Amino acid sequence: MEETILRTDNVVKRFRGLVAVNKVNLNVFKGEILGLVGPNGAGKTTLLNVINGIYKPEEGKVYFEDEDITGKKPEYICKKGVARTFQITRLFVNMTALENVMSGIMFGRKELSDFKEAKKSALETMQFVEFPVEKRDVVAGSLNVVEMKRIELARALLTDPSLILLDEPATGLTPSELPIMINLINKLHEKGVTTLVVDHNMRFIMNVAQRLVVLHYGEKIAEGTPKEIASNEAVIKAYLGKKYIF
Ligand SMILES: Nc1ncnc2c1ncn2[C@@H]1O[C@H](COP(=O)(O)OP(=O)(O)OP(=O)(O)O)[C@@H](O)[C@H]1O
Ligand SMILES: [Mg+2]
């Protein structure tokens, strides 16, 4: 039996009349790379927002490592070991790359005694995400897309997560830049970090995820291996249009 790290139990999130997430049961297993896909507006980002405490669901429960974290504050959930990145990179644009990464220390699980130690840790993490270290003092607003994504990932990693939620890490990347992000996620996997990754890019998600969950109008319509999902009739109808060829 695989061990569950995160579980949502019949989660419902509504915005006025609109049901953005409808009775979703999600199981994320320890150590896996789980992909979450579906058309625009399917509820993917909303589900991540419920998991990390940005939204409180109207119904249902969220359990992280068997603790009921439903409706807890994002800071609390982050301290427990759940980090995330955003669909549109959210960096402090006037702060340097290094300062952005260091800001992660304030929200994380690590207890660091001083500034020097925090800086050392930040620089190591920047190295891990292969950020060009000579640019560490450049303001984040003037970095390119890949560099911004690396910095946002480094900041999330500095909180020392056991689960990381990545919302469209491949968006804005050129086809030649995709392998960079795939490689980074695989490196996280080797480190033992569990990953829940949302993305639209089929080439990316089919390559990086070990298992996929498909949302459509807020409901889970399928889950399985990338191979199973690629030829799933309901998924083809709702999302893929035709069978995905590897
Ligand atoms: N804060 C909000 N207020 C009102 N409606 C919202 C809000 N956030 C999301 N929605 C709506 O909820 C539905 C789900 O949106 P969500 O952003 O979760 O979709 P998504 O699957 O992430 O889509 P995309 O692939 O475009 O990022 C959409 O219909 C969206 O318009
Ligand atoms: Mg989204």
Side-chain angles (χ1 to χ4, degrees):
M1 221 3 222
E2 285 180 278
E3 201 182 330
T4 296
I5 186 165
L6 180 103
R7 180 161 71 89
T8 71
D9 183 11
N10 274 303
V11 160
V12 175
K13 174 65 202 154
R14 296 189 197 95
F15 296 108
R16 298 174 189 268
L18 180 96
V19 189
V21 174
N22 199 0
K23 296 200 160 70
V24 170
N25 294 308
L26 190 74
N27 252 310
V28 185
F29 300 119
K30 213 168 212 156
E32 77 170 332
I33 305 172
L34 178 64
L36 183 63
V37 297
N40 289 115
K44 306 177 296 293
T45 298
T46 304
L47 186 57
L48 295 192
N49 287 337
V50 168
I51 292 170
N52 90 314
I54 291 175
Y55 297 137
K56 186 178 174 167
E58 274 78 33
E59 291 172 33
K61 296 276 182 198
V62 183
Y63 298 93
F64 176 66
E65 289 173 339
D66 290 329
E67 179 187 343
D68 182 356
I69 56 162
T70 320
K72 295 266 200 276
K73 294 249 175 331
E75 304 87 83
Y76 176 88
I77 293 171
C78 187
K79 278 248 188 279
K80 284 280 156 187
V82 182
R84 78 171 288 182
T85 63
F86 294 89
Q87 193 161 349
I88 297 163
T89 313
R90 292 190 191 174
L91 293 176
F92 303 111
V93 290
N94 296 319
M95 279 163 52
T96 69
L98 176 62
E99 287 164 350
N100 267 280
V101 176
M102 284 182 71
S103 72
I105 221 86
M106 295 186 288
F107 305 101
R109 290 200 292 181
K110 274 196 188 128
E111 297 291 337
L112 288 181
S113 47
D114 61 22
F115 181 83
K116 231 173 117 183
E117 203 185 335
K119 186 172 169 184
K120 183 166 165 274
S121 214
L123 286 170
E124 281 166 8
T125 312
M126 287 164 92
Q127 209 157 25
F128 178 83
V129 300
E130 293 159 31
F131 180 84
V133 180
E134 67 278 7
K135 283 190 157 180
R136 69 190 212 189
D137 296 324
V138 171
V139 291
S142 58
L143 298 172
N144 67 39
V145 182
V146 187
E147 289 163 352
M148 284 189 188
K149 293 208 181 255
R150 289 184 199 272
I151 288 300
E152 200 185 33
L153 186 59
R155 180 176 65 185
L157 289 177
L158 209 64
T159 68
D160 191 24
S162 49
L163 171 67
I164 190 160
L165 315 172
L166 305 175
D167 200 353
E168 305 213 2
T171 299
L173 303 186
T174 63
S176 66
E177 288 165 346
L178 281 186
I180 296 173
M181 193 49 77
I182 293 176
N183 177 41
L184 278 180
I185 294 174
N186 284 330
K187 266 170 80 174
L188 288 181
H189 178 63
E190 280 160 26
K191 255 176 75 133
V193 180
T194 308
T195 304
L196 175 55
V197 51
V198 170
D199 217 281
H200 267 299
N201 186 312
M202 278 300 127
R203 196 155 77 85
F204 171 74
I205 205 85
M206 290 284 187
N207 268 298
V208 80
Q210 299 164 327
R211 213 161 60 83
L212 290 172
V213 165
V214 187
L215 290 186
H216 184 48
Y217 288 117
E219 287 179 26
K220 184 170 86 177
I221 60 163
E223 67 181 306
T225 62
K227 254 209 163 79
E228 287 162 354
I229 295 300
S231 56
N232 179 296
E233 285 303 326
V235 177
I236 291 170
K237 201 159 164 244
Y239 184 43
L240 292 176
K242 57 182 185 344
K243 191 172 171 208
Y244 178 82
I245 311 285
F246 284 89

